[in-house]
Amino acid sequence: MTRADLESMPHDGHRYELLDGILIVSPSPRPLHQRAILRLIVALEPACPVTHEVLPAPVDVVLAEDTVLIPDIVVGRRDAFTEQALVGPPLLAVEVLSPRTRHFDLHLKRAKFAEAGCPHYWVVDPDEPRMRCWTLAPPGAIDLDPGSTARETDGYIEVASVAGDQWLEADAPFPVRVRPSDLVSRYR
């Protein structure tokens, strides 16, 4: 399938994405998932440079004619957004994991965004709660995951992993401070 084929998909609450021409369909997210997205956007928006924009899904990110992904949160240059999509890799793609999309978000999507040159990829696991942040590494870089031996990276190097009440204090892609527990708590 191609990007043009996506335009004929129904607007039925499902998320339709293309990965190398293969259609991926995801069901509607649960409230915990949406809560984490909303609260992370609230943290990102004030820190985002005026040259960029923070948007929630669904926003098509066109990486190729046969690869159109929809991250839960996308940060891209304002001038790269068209009326229909963000064309090219975003500055930051964020995924909030769910039981049905965990493998896709942690492995397949992450690899595609790395291949496309997306500088930053973050994942929120609302069930733990935990945040993991990766930065695009130069080719041939070594990833020193805590507790494991050095290995060649798949494109990203993990730069942060925080859980519960620990603070994520990120400098890139722009300064932001957030705790995973605050993203998912029922009451604030």
Side-chain angles (χ1 to χ4, degrees):
M1 296 184 76
T2 67
R3 178 180 172 195
D5 296 320
L6 279 184
E7 294 176 14
S8 66
M9 293 293 147
H11 297 283
D12 59 4
H14 289 89
R15 183 178 297 185
Y16 295 93
E17 300 175 275
L18 285 179
L19 184 69
D20 296 329
I22 298 169
L23 182 66
I24 309 292
V25 182
S26 302
S28 297
R30 58 194 174 144
L32 180 67
H33 182 274
Q34 297 303 90
R35 183 179 303 126
I37 290 170
L38 173 66
R39 292 190 182 154
L40 187 52
I41 287 173
V42 167
L44 290 171
E45 182 64 29
C48 184
V50 296
T51 56
H52 289 73
E53 189 166 11
V54 179
L55 293 174
V59 173
D60 288 352
V61 176
V62 180
L63 301 178
E65 282 304 306
D66 67 350
T67 302
V68 179
L69 300 176
I70 303 173
D72 289 318
I73 300 172
V74 63
V75 178
R77 291 192 56 82
R78 288 184 187 276
D79 60 5
F81 285 98
T82 68
E83 290 293 318
Q84 302 293 325
L86 173 66
V87 179
L91 174 65
L92 169 65
V94 180
E95 294 296 344
V96 177
L97 300 178
S98 68
R100 294 179 215 128
T101 64
R102 176 177 290 278
H103 181 76
F104 184 55
D105 293 343
L106 282 173
H107 302 289
L108 301 174
K109 257 186 167 176
R110 187 178 120 183
K112 266 302 164 194
F113 277 116
E115 181 183 304
C118 174
H120 304 279
Y121 189 79
W122 294 1
V123 170
V124 175
D125 186 336
D127 294 318
E128 288 195 42
R130 172 177 295 282
M131 286 184 71
R132 296 175 68 191
C133 305
W134 290 274
T135 297
L136 197 58
I142 300 296
D143 187 1
L144 297 172
D145 278 343
S148 68
T149 58
R151 61 179 170 80
E152 295 247 350
T153 179
D154 62 355
Y156 285 115
I157 292 178
E158 188 172 65
V159 294
S161 179
V162 295
D165 290 333
Q166 294 176 313
W167 286 99
L168 169 68
E169 297 194 29
D171 292 326
F174 41 81
V176 67
R177 188 172 191 252
V178 65
R179 290 188 309 186
S181 61
D182 291 338
L183 298 178
V184 298
S185 66
R186 290 188 79 109
Y187 307 103
R188 292 174 61 170

